[in-house]
Amino acid sequence: MTATVSGPPVAGTARRDVPAFVRAGERMMWIGGRQVAAASGRTLPNTDPATEEALASVPRGEAADVDAAVHAARAAFTDPAWAEMSPDRRGRILNQIADVIEEHADELATIDSVNMGAPRMLTAHMLAEASEVFRYYAGWPTKLSGVSVPAGKDRMAYTRKEPLGVVGIIWGWNGPMGQLPGKLAPALAAGNTVVLKPAETASLSTLRLAELLAGTDLPAGVVNVVTGLGAEAGQALVAHPGVAKIAFTGSTATGKLVQRQATDTLKRVTLELGGKSPSVVFADADLDVAVRGVAAGFLGNAGQACVATSRVFVEESIREEFVEKLLKTMEAFTPGDPLTPGTLVGPLSTKAQFDRVSSYLDIAREEGANVVTGGRRFGDHGYFFAPTLLDDVRPDMRVVREEIFGPVGVITTFTDIDDAIAKANDTDYGLAASVWTTNLTTAHRMAAAIEAGTVWINTWAEMSTGNLPFGGYKQSGLGREGGLEGLDTYTQVKTVRIAL
């Protein structure tokens, strides 16, 4: 275990004003419009990562619970209340969901901050985007049309876009209300029904959202929630023959397991997986803007972001100036209570994640990397880790090649644009990238050359409110979320030919 940096960040957090929903007790799953416990009666603990105190427990759902949820979703899919609902009506229900999220945004954001440690300002931003994603997709049910195709004077041919059926949605603990809308909204807009399996360590906001959905006009059974372990409930959902598609967000290693298991039933799969994203800073960049973006890129959400730009490449001529400015900027990212206004970095989500990040710093030292700052625990309680910058790194080091998922950046230099492109692309991942330059030609060339699903120029992590596709190249995933591209992954096309 690494050493401790002095400075307790969350004194008095045990007496914080937190939503009643996260307080000790047992919360229920939602199946077929009813709250239910796990068939086994077992539960899973949830812990506040800032205080290490117990929160409400969640049911430990297993295969029997997943089977019940899938059958409830299938019954709702064929029920005329949903199956024959007009597109206009379906769109209005998605707007109702957006209204409910807006009305309870403060509560849902605070639940996520307490349950997984993201700063309150970040979870509030996620909830604002969540409602907008539902509003974007609320406009699509009336526009999901096929085409008429010429087929001869005595023939008629056309296509129909139809829903897939029951969709299983599994997503990460590092921003539950930020990730769920990009999957749930298009699935419902296309007319599917769903079974949600949130991360076992951060299920509380999803269960609260399910309660809120029960107050809308969404028919019972259209949205079901089963909580539990990935190896139990998650695996059962992926393997279930009644599930037509799995939409998954998580690690690349787990995504590969999901894809392999899904082949047994040939269900469709979209995977939003890990990343080791580059941030490339050219000498002509506005350095004050760049250092803020770079710092946020690997320290935001304590580095627990699939798009974290944790590989920092700086043009040789500005290295010393840039590092000096970056270290100064990092001082603003002092870890603190996620519920305190102004906190930019909260704790790591769980003890297991804290131990994982700590182990990577041990590896970095063994491999010869230099810890410029940080590299150890922050404070004496909670799962806080000091913002960390490493240099003297080689491309073959594990801390350069593997996703750490903590507040850790590695910095190296490049000589020219060709060198920058080569180093940025020297990774198995391809989820996102940031480029910092005032040269328009450089910006466009880098955007075209970087092998990543999203490239930000002079900014970082500006996510759309549903209207732009998001996904990865290489081992960062399959398929896209957002926009029409994301909606299409929840539909199937039927061809109809008629002899007149």
Side-chain angles (χ1 to χ4, degrees), residues 436-461:
W436 305 87
T437 179
T438 56
N439 186 303
L440 190 60
T441 299
T442 298
H444 283 300
R445 184 175 171 192
M446 292 294 292
I450 290 179
E451 298 166 350
T454 297
V455 178
W456 292 291
I457 307 295
N458 295 326
T459 187
W460 171 77

Side-chain angles (χ1 to χ4, degrees), residues 117-336:
R120 182 63 179 71
M121 60 189 300
L122 176 59
T123 56
H125 179 70
M126 290 179 181
L127 265 296
E129 287 192 339
S131 62
E132 292 305 311
V133 170
F134 276 95
R135 295 207 189 282
Y136 170 78
Y137 281 109
W140 272 110
T142 57
K143 303 171 185 65
L144 279 174
S145 58
V147 296
S148 177
V149 180
K153 67 176 184 179
D154 58 348
R155 294 292 187 270
M156 181 179 183
Y158 61 92
T159 62
R160 291 170 48 89
K161 282 191 175 182
E162 298 182 349
L164 299 172
V166 178
V167 173
I169 298 178
I170 305 171
W171 71 107
W173 45 260
N174 57 318
M177 289 295 103
Q179 297 173 26
L180 176 59
K183 296 174 171 59
L184 179 57
L188 297 180
N192 300 283
T193 56
V194 301
V195 177
L196 308 179
K197 209 300 282 184
E200 59 268 22
T201 60
S203 300
L204 295 175
S205 61
T206 304
L207 293 175
R208 177 58 178 141
L209 178 63
E211 282 189 353
L212 298 173
L213 295 184
T216 71
D217 293 333
L218 192 71
V222 172
V223 175
N224 306 272
V225 184
V226 176
T227 54
L229 299 174
E232 297 173 351
Q235 185 174 4
L237 187 59
V238 174
H240 200 290
V243 175
K245 172 185 173 167
I246 293 291
F248 174 82
T249 292
S251 71
T252 295
T254 304
K256 291 176 180 180
L257 294 175
V258 169
Q259 185 178 23
R260 281 196 290 268
Q261 190 170 19
T263 61
D264 290 339
T265 50
L266 284 181
K267 55 173 55 68
R268 301 187 185 198
V269 175
T270 51
L271 305 172
E272 196 270 279
L273 306 178
K276 193 71 176 178
S277 300
S279 193
V280 184
V281 184
F282 286 87
D284 60 49
D286 182 328
L287 290 193
D288 291 331
V289 173
V291 292
R292 290 194 295 270
V294 168
F298 69 86
L299 298 178
N301 202 15
Q304 299 170 122
C306 54
V307 295
T309 46
S310 55
R311 293 185 301 134
V312 182
F313 300 100
V314 182
E315 197 162 359
E316 282 184 351
S317 63
I318 60 167
R319 182 194 183 282
E320 290 188 13
E321 180 184 6
F322 180 85
V323 171
E324 181 181 350
K325 286 178 175 287
L326 179 60
L327 291 174
K328 184 66 176 177
T329 300
M330 288 175 64
E331 294 175 3
F333 288 82
T334 301

Side-chain angles (χ1 to χ4, degrees), residues 11-73:
T13 51
R15 295 181 294 278
R16 292 180 301 168
D17 183 19
V18 300
F21 198 83
V22 304
R23 294 175 187 155
E26 183 180 348
R27 303 295 167 250
M28 297 287 106
M29 302 185 294
W30 281 83
I31 297 178
R34 297 186 302 111
Q35 289 184 301
V36 296
S40 66
R42 295 195 292 175
T43 62
L44 292 167
N46 273 225
T47 302
D48 182 340
T51 65
E52 301 183 48
E53 293 186 337
L55 300 173
S57 63
V58 301
R60 184 171 173 172
E62 298 176 350
D65 306 288
V66 169
D67 186 61
V70 173
H71 279 89

